[in-house]
Amino acid sequence: MFRNIFPLAILAGICIAIGGTVNLRVGGVAGAVLFAFGLTTVVYYGLKLYTGTAGFIRARGDWGMLAIVLFGNIMGCWLSALLVSYAQPDCVEPAVNILAGRLSKGPWACFLLAIGCGFIMTTAVEFARKGKMLPLLLGVPVFILCGFAHSIADAFYFLLVPAEKLLQPYVLAVYVCEVLGNFVGCNLYRWVSLPVRK
């Protein structure tokens, strides 16, 4: 499983980093809209992205797969951050500002913001699997402009930040809360609708 999933997860992380790079350089509504290229690429090629996978966990063995996906996504973001910080150093300062904003909100607020992102992403992926890409193209700028937290995009932003600012225990607490919040958001509809379906 690792050999099949891990490369696709790394590539998905790189795709998100591409979207993150354009968002850092352009910013505003345009940057949020252009970020959608990363997510549409992930869906089109069938890559493995944490927020595109977490809402579809069904079996016990899927948990191991989800951990591999998350690790691979972070590795893809790390590799991308190394390249971008060298070749596009103007991206570092806005990434520092994003990290500072997350830290000022704190872990609990980031958890709540990540729920909104997870809900949007699973909804968009559900539509995309049925050949309807518009919700994906709209969903990405919606979560960015709402200030919702996407754990993989934030992995890229955080890893762009200089080590002295990144290596703080509080950063890890915020990030773990984003990962958990994304998971809750990705599964929100399924958990709420399950009693109704029964």
Side-chain angles (χ1 to χ4, degrees), residues 23-157:
N23 188 37
L24 291 173
R25 301 201 75 225
V26 176
V29 175
V33 170
L34 293 172
F35 189 109
F37 174 81
L39 270 299
T40 53
T41 304
V42 167
V43 171
Y44 181 79
Y45 285 119
L47 305 179
K48 294 295 183 181
L49 182 66
Y50 175 74
T51 51
T53 306
F56 301 95
I57 296 296
R58 294 292 186 271
R60 184 175 299 174
D62 288 346
W63 291 101
M65 181 266 292
L66 186 62
I68 293 170
V69 169
L70 178 60
F71 180 58
N73 289 168
I74 294 171
M75 288 300 297
C77 290
W78 176 68
L79 292 171
S80 301
L82 289 177
L83 295 174
V84 171
S85 62
Y86 174 76
Q88 295 283 23
D90 59 312
C91 289
V92 174
E93 185 177 350
V96 169
N97 293 336
I98 289 174
L99 176 59
R102 298 292 193 227
L103 292 177
S104 69
K105 287 181 172 65
W108 175 240
C110 288
F111 172 79
L112 296 175
L113 292 171
I115 292 175
C117 177
F119 180 76
I120 291 170
M121 286 299 91
T122 295
T123 303
V125 170
E126 283 275 23
F127 274 98
R129 287 182 170 187
K130 297 172 183 175
K132 300 176 181 178
M133 300 300 287
L134 185 60
L136 187 63
L137 295 173
L138 294 175
V140 173
V142 166
F143 89 71
I144 292 174
L145 295 173
C146 284
F148 294 161
H150 189 288
S151 58
I152 307 308
D154 276 6
F156 171 65
Y157 298 145

Side-chain angles (χ1 to χ4, degrees), residues 15-26:
C15 289
I16 297 305
I18 291 171
T21 301
V22 71
N23 188 37
L24 291 173
R25 301 201 75 225
V26 176

